[in-house]
Amino acid sequence: MEKFAEDVAARTNGHVTVEVFGNGQLGTEKEMLEQVVAGTVQGMRGGQFDFSPRLLMFTLPFLAQNRAQVTALLQSDLAKKVCAEAEAETGTVIINLCDAGGWRQFSNSKHPITKPDDLQGLKMRTNGMNTIDKTFIALGATTTTIPYSDLYMGLKTGVADGQENPWVNVEGMKFYEVQKYFTEVNYQFHPDPFYVNAAWWNSLPEEYRTIISECATEMGAYNDQLIDENQEAAKQVVIDAGCEVYEPSAEELKAFQDAVQIVYDQCVEEGIMTAEELQEMLDIVANTK
């Protein structure tokens, strides 16, 4: 976001300035998005899908396997269509979709997770996201919702046996201090929408909208580059802390993938996406190596 602010100021010769408030200074993601809708804040970046639940289609478990596929999905015509729906429904415009933190992994304090059956009976923390809950339930776990800021203590006191998060989050929140067993499943990525207030956006001169959009696209690419660079280093911190990190074989990963196929059907039934949109995403992934 700091790069974005610098780029916008430079390319508009200082006529558009971006003031960045990080680390929840303006509230939770949901509160900030409400402020964007109200126009008291011009924009925010964050994986808040309450106002745009159709973005959940990109969080299907094991939808993508590599960075190129993630990028192809988030820059697709389908993604642009889903983002365009947000303006009519919420009064916001999504000017960029990038990765929210990298591939998400499983961890717990009981035993290694090497196959779907190992999740049977585990109480796994989720953030309340529809597709995460569905994934764990399909794998035989039970779920409990714990706020991210409370998760360390929740794991430490046994309110939850395990959790799912990217390596960078695990390192940043020191979850490796209260979890012993990690499995590198790369089961999900989260889009990180950049919301701006629609009325404010549409009041800008076209020249500035173009510049801001270009800067947002470059920021998204830089964001994803930083994630790719940092997640391996974060994983090494977890290993160095004495945790066990299990890396499933392709055959073992297929067992997880097969076990969660029901989540795809459930999301179509709930209207998060149509069967045609699901096939469109599968085709994008299949055609991107």
Side-chain angles (χ1 to χ4, degrees):
M1 288 302 295
E2 289 170 354
K3 170 183 166 53
F4 170 76
E6 292 169 5
D7 289 349
V8 169
R11 295 192 202 176
T12 63
N13 295 316
H15 289 294
V16 179
T17 58
V18 179
E19 196 172 359
V20 178
F21 297 86
N23 300 318
Q25 291 177 62
L26 301 180
T28 66
E29 287 189 348
K30 186 172 183 178
E31 289 167 346
M32 286 189 286
L33 185 52
E34 289 169 347
Q35 292 171 56
V36 174
V37 172
T40 53
V41 169
Q42 281 71 52
M44 65 86 70
R45 252 188 66 191
Q48 175 54 245
F49 304 140
D50 285 11
F51 289 26
S52 303
R54 296 240 303 142
L55 285 172
L56 285 168
M57 70 174 69
F58 299 109
T59 70
L60 288 172
F62 301 106
L63 176 61
Q65 282 77 52
N66 57 51
R67 169 60 66 200
Q69 292 172 353
V70 171
T71 300
L73 285 166
L74 295 184
Q75 294 182 358
S76 65
D77 289 339
L78 175 60
K80 291 182 175 68
K81 180 182 79 171
V82 174
C83 288
E85 294 169 358
E87 180 171 2
E89 295 172 7
T90 69
T92 65
V93 174
I94 298 174
I95 61 173
N96 182 253
L97 276 182
C98 58
D99 190 339
W103 299 110
R104 302 180 78 89
Q105 322 298 352
F106 298 158
S107 76
N108 81 106
S109 58
K110 301 293 186 182
H111 54 247
I113 297 173
T114 64
K115 56 187 183 299
D117 284 351
D118 293 331
L119 280 137
Q120 292 280 343
L122 287 180
K123 186 185 289 186
M124 301 295 289
R125 176 266 179 182
T126 81
N127 61 2
M129 184 180 287
N130 185 312
T131 49
I132 300 178
D133 283 322
K134 281 182 168 57
T135 297
F136 278 137
I137 290 168
L139 292 170
T142 58
T143 62
T144 181
T145 302
I146 302 173
Y148 187 60
S149 57
D150 299 334
L151 181 51
Y152 181 99
M153 192 55 63
L155 295 170
K156 184 175 182 178
T157 57
V159 175
D161 298 318
Q163 59 87 50
E164 58 74 55
N165 258 298
W167 289 122
V168 290
N169 292 19
V170 171
E171 179 199 12
M173 296 291 281
K174 299 189 185 326
F175 295 147
Y176 53 81
E177 294 180 350
V178 288
Q179 297 277 269
K180 173 68 175 173
Y181 305 100
F182 288 80
T183 305
E184 188 171 50
V185 284
N186 293 349
Y187 90 101
Q188 195 185 50
F189 73 92
H190 289 180
D192 199 12
F194 189 167
Y195 295 96
V196 296
N197 176 271
W200 169 80
W201 178 253
N202 292 324
S203 73
L204 291 175
E206 183 178 353
E207 176 189 1
Y208 288 167
R209 290 201 302 270
T210 299
I211 290 171
I212 292 170
S213 292
E214 290 172 352
C215 291
T217 299
E218 291 171 15
M219 176 212 63
Y222 182 56
N223 170 87
D224 294 352
Q225 175 191 328
L226 289 177
I227 286 171
D228 290 344
E229 290 172 358
N230 290 330
Q231 60 187 359
E232 279 302 315
K235 173 185 171 185
Q236 191 59 49
V237 170
V238 175
I239 294 171
D240 291 345
C243 296
E244 293 184 23
V245 175
Y246 188 78
E247 299 178 9
S249 65
E251 186 176 337
E252 288 171 326
L253 274 178
K254 188 174 187 307
F256 286 99
Q257 294 163 357
D258 291 345
V260 300
Q261 282 304 300
I262 188 174
V263 177
Y264 287 46
D265 299 331
Q266 291 169 336
C267 288
V268 170
E269 290 167 8
E270 289 183 13
I272 291 170
M273 70 221 168
T274 64
E276 291 74 22
E277 288 169 337
L278 172 57
Q279 189 57 54
E280 188 174 345
M281 290 194 294
L282 295 176
D283 290 343
I284 290 169
V285 168
N287 293 324
T288 307
K289 302 304 178 187

